[in-house]
């Protein structure tokens, strides 16, 4: 039988599956393999879908299943899209009534299907959408819009809003993802706009593919210059090449350029950028302020009275605007941070030597079902609780001996650094998350590492609320006058750009005058077990008179010991646990 849902139009053999692996052919009937089963169900802000002009700041129940109909290199959701059979046991059965009841109980305005492609769970999504709308909930989804025309028209009957992800504007680009042509995507985009469904566009920006973004913007603008246009600065996850990642500065330049075509252009995956804010197209004033909130995600931090500019113009927002809608924005649960958390668990398991997909899936299932994932943010702030968390995963996976070995290795080096820095002068250190004015929270893991490495982390002295992604005033940094600035160095600010932003923002501190601005790259300072290398790198930076760790030798030893390979080019990938990345390192 031929599947009518997406443009892959797979011929599904009897008892076989199509390309997405999510439908089977049972005596000529198309059957969903995992009906009414979800991987994640969590209330979240709509900006984590992301939608920016639709009920801004509103709380929606975010749901996803598994699987996809495209094969994009660097997929941010690779944990749940690439290997359906590996992750399927982590799915949780929930009928449409259960999901709707959850949305109502959590005070959600509606339900948004995101993280993976609704085409691969089309019948489940339709059932859910019908039930939700009967109960007065709004329904939407993020989609690559590779649906057939007939099915897309049907989808539009069931939704109120949609974010259409566009990967490029040429058939060649789509061929690399396994699709025949880009034409259906623009056809469906046009249909969506004509249908009255609130539509936003997310365009992927890969370095060197600027022309594809420009052309996409031109084609979107020809439909309406008021369509919110989200530029997704490419993050090289999964098997993607790091050189595909544009810098934030390059992405901002591109946004400025296409701003001449479209009135609302936004930039994602770029901490500290002003291009997440909504500016009034009439007078240029900021109407809505947003902050970076993890991959593909933003957060409303402020807005003018219901989105109306001082000049009286109101950009075409749909619904009222909210701020602090009641959903916790800190933490690792909600939005794509949920997916990043699942990847981080898989990464820890990889360091423990666990490669068996069914074991990995059962650990993820446990972490999701027991709610352990909700406490992850707090658990990974300190070394002792981080090690306990690793022990927990190890117990679930039967990798206790490996966790013990990792603990011993980690504690040995931590003790060594603590011992040598005991009683020494502690230079003041400011730690930024990529952008110089985004300060890492003072209670985070990175700040603990600074103090173990013999520094005094001034981030602890910064008074701020819990809003993530907010830039702090440059005067605050000037007042703290750190001797050293550290940056995670992995979020789109090359060293030169970082230094320029420091200087251009009016930062005047000892670290700049002393030339002591340092990137942690390529070492991690949180999350993955190789943060221990980050600590040693940090000790070299903060106390060069005490430490001269040979990072190359130590890195090779560490990765050989715990991943079974030295740090090759694959090891520098952000998705170190990806099966093909692991394979490449051998
Ligand atoms: S949804 Fe698309 S990929 Fe999946 S079976 Fe149908 S045509 Fe194939």
């Amino acid at each position: 039988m031929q599947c009518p849902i997406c443009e892959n139009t797979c011929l599904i053999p009897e008892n076989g599956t199509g390309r997405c692996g999510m439908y089977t052919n049972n005596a000529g009937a198309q059957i969903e393999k995992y009906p009414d089963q979800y991987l994640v169900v969590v209330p979240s802000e709509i900006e984590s879908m992301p939608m920016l002009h639709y009920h801004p700041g509103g709380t929606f129940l975010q749901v996803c299943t598994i699987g996809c109909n495209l094969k994009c290199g660097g997929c941010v959701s690779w944990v749940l899209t690439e290997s359906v059979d590996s992750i399927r046991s982590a799915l949780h059965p929930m009928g449409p009534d259960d999901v709707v009841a959850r949305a109502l109980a959590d005070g959600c305005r509606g339900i948004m299907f995101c993280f993976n492609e609704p085409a691969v769970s089309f019948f489940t999504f339709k059932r859910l959408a019908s039930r939700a709308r009967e109960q007065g909930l709004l329904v939407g989804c993020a989609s690559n819009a590779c649906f057939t025309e007939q099915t897309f028209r049907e989808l539009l009957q069931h939704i109120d809003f949609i974010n259409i992800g566009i990967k490029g504007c040429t058939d060649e680009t789509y061929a690399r993802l396994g699709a025949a042509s880009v034409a259906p995507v623009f056809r469906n985009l046009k249909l969506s706009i004509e249908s009255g469904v609130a539509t936003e566009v997310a365009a992927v920006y890969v370095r060197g593919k600027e022309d594809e973004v420009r052309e996409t913007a031109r084609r979107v603008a020809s439909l309406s210059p008021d369509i919110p246009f989200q530029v997704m600065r490419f993050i090289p996850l999964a098997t993607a090449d790091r050189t595909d990642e544009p810098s934030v500065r390059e992405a901002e330049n591109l946004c400025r350029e296409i701003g001449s075509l479209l009135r609302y252009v936004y930039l994602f995956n770029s901490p500290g950028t002003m291009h997440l804010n909504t500016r009034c197209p009439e007078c240029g004033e900021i109407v809505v302020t947003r902050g970076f909130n993890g991959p593909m995600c933003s957060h409303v931090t402020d807005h003018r009275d219901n989105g109306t500019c001082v000049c009286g113009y109101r950009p075409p927002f749909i619904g009222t605007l909210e701020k602090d809608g009641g959903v916790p924005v800190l933490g690792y649960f909600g939005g794509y941070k949920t997916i990043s958390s699942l990847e981080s668990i898989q990464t820890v398991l990889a360091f423990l030597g666990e490669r068996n997909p069914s074991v990995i899936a059962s650990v993820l299932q446990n972490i999701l079902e027991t709610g352990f994932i909700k406490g992850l943010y707090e658990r990974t702030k300190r070394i002792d609780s981080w090690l306990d968390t690793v022990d927990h995963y190890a117990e679930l996976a039967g990798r206790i001996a490996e966790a013990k070995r990792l603990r011993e290795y980690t504690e040995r080096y931590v003790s060594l650094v603590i011992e040598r820095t005991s009683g020494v002068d502690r230079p003041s250190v400011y730690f930024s998350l990529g952008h110089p004015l985004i300060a890492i929270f003072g209670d985070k893991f990175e700040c603990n590492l600074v103090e173990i490495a013999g520094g005094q982390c001034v981030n602890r002295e910064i008074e701020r609320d819990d809003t993530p992604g907010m830039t702090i005033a440059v005067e605050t940094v000037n007042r703290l006058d750190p001797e050293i600035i550290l940056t995670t160095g992995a979020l789109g600010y090359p060293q030169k750009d970082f230094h320029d932003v420091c200087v251009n923002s009016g930062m005047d501190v000892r670290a700049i005058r002393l030339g002591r601005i340092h990137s942690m790259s390529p070492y991690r300072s949180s999350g993955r077990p190789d943060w221990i290398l980050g600590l040693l790198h940090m000790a070299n930076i903060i106390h060069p008179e005490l430490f001269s760790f040979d990072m190359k030798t130590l890195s090779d030893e560490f990765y050989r010991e715990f991943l079974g390979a030295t740090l090759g080019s694959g090891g520098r990938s952000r998705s170190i646990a990806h099966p093909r990345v692991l394979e490449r390192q051998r």
Side-chain angles (χ1 to χ4, degrees), residues 209-221:
K209 300 286 181 189
E210 290 77 6
D211 281 348
E212 294 224 32
V213 183
R214 289 185 188 107
E215 179 56 21
T216 302
R218 262 192 290 277
R219 294 174 73 167
V220 171

Side-chain angles (χ1 to χ4, degrees), residues 125-152:
F125 182 52
K126 271 199 311 181
R127 275 192 295 278
L128 173 60
S130 300
R131 194 75 193 103
R133 290 173 108 194
E134 280 167 20
Q135 295 298 314
L137 293 168
L138 300 164
V139 177
C141 63
S143 169
N144 57 39
C146 289
F147 284 91
T148 58
E149 179 174 346
Q150 182 195 353
T151 311
F152 194 71

Side-chain angles (χ1 to χ4, degrees), residues 86 89 349 354-364 396-399:
S86 308
S89 63
L349 291 172
E354 187 55 70
R355 306 282 192 275
N356 184 332
S358 59
V359 174
I360 294 168
S362 77
V363 174
L364 297 182
L396 293 172
R399 292 269 167 187

Side-chain angles (χ1 to χ4, degrees), residues 332-530:
Y332 297 152
F333 201 46
Y336 279 88
K337 289 184 290 187
T338 313
I339 307 307
S340 304
S341 298
L342 296 178
E343 183 182 346
S344 80
I345 296 164
Q346 192 161 341
T347 304
V348 171
L349 291 172
F351 277 92
L352 298 180
E354 187 55 70
R355 306 282 192 275
N356 184 332
S358 59
V359 174
I360 294 168
S362 77
V363 174
L364 297 182
Q365 180 191 26
N366 181 290
I367 300 293
L368 286 165
E369 285 204 354
T370 58
F372 190 87
I373 194 169
K374 292 180 190 156
L376 215 48
Y377 181 73
E378 290 300 323
R379 285 190 182 95
T380 52
K381 281 182 174 177
R382 295 193 328 273
I383 292 177
D384 54 354
S385 53
W386 184 87
L387 285 167
D388 291 346
T389 303
V390 172
D391 285 346
H392 180 63
Y393 302 156
E395 260 173 52
L396 293 172
R399 292 269 167 187
I400 291 170
E402 289 84 351
K404 186 163 177 276
R405 219 155 34 89
L406 180 64
R407 178 184 278 271
E408 284 168 359
Y409 183 99
T410 304
E411 289 180 340
R412 185 167 73 244
Y413 278 103
V414 168
S415 301
L416 187 147
V417 174
I418 289 176
E419 214 173 277
R420 273 202 223 161
T421 54
S422 159
V424 300
D425 281 345
R426 295 182 166 263
S428 56
V429 179
Y430 168 69
F431 209 138
S432 83
L433 178 72
H435 185 281
L437 293 177
I438 297 196
I440 282 179
F441 284 100
D443 61 348
K444 290 289 294 286
F445 197 81
E446 291 87 340
C447 297
N448 288 320
L449 292 194
V450 165
E451 290 177 353
I452 288 168
Q456 179 219 336
C457 190
V458 297
N459 295 51
R460 296 198 193 281
E461 298 167 39
I462 299 172
E463 283 178 21
R464 56 187 294 189
D465 61 22
D466 277 353
T467 310
M470 290 274 285
T471 51
I472 58 171
V474 69
E475 293 76 20
T476 304
V477 187
N478 287 346
R479 179 176 50 76
L480 295 167
D481 195 20
E483 294 164 77
I484 298 171
I485 295 177
L486 294 179
T487 171
T488 50
L491 287 161
Y493 288 93
Q495 188 93 355
K496 164 100 176 52
D497 289 3
F498 186 91
H499 185 272
D500 289 352
V501 177
C502 286
V503 173
N504 295 338
S505 65
M507 199 179 280
D508 181 16
V509 296
R510 284 175 290 175
I512 296 177
R513 293 192 290 279
L514 296 168
R516 297 194 76 182
I517 299 177
H518 300 273
S519 166
M520 288 299 296
S521 182
Y523 304 104
R524 307 283 296 201
S525 44
S526 66
R528 287 185 350 193
D530 47 354

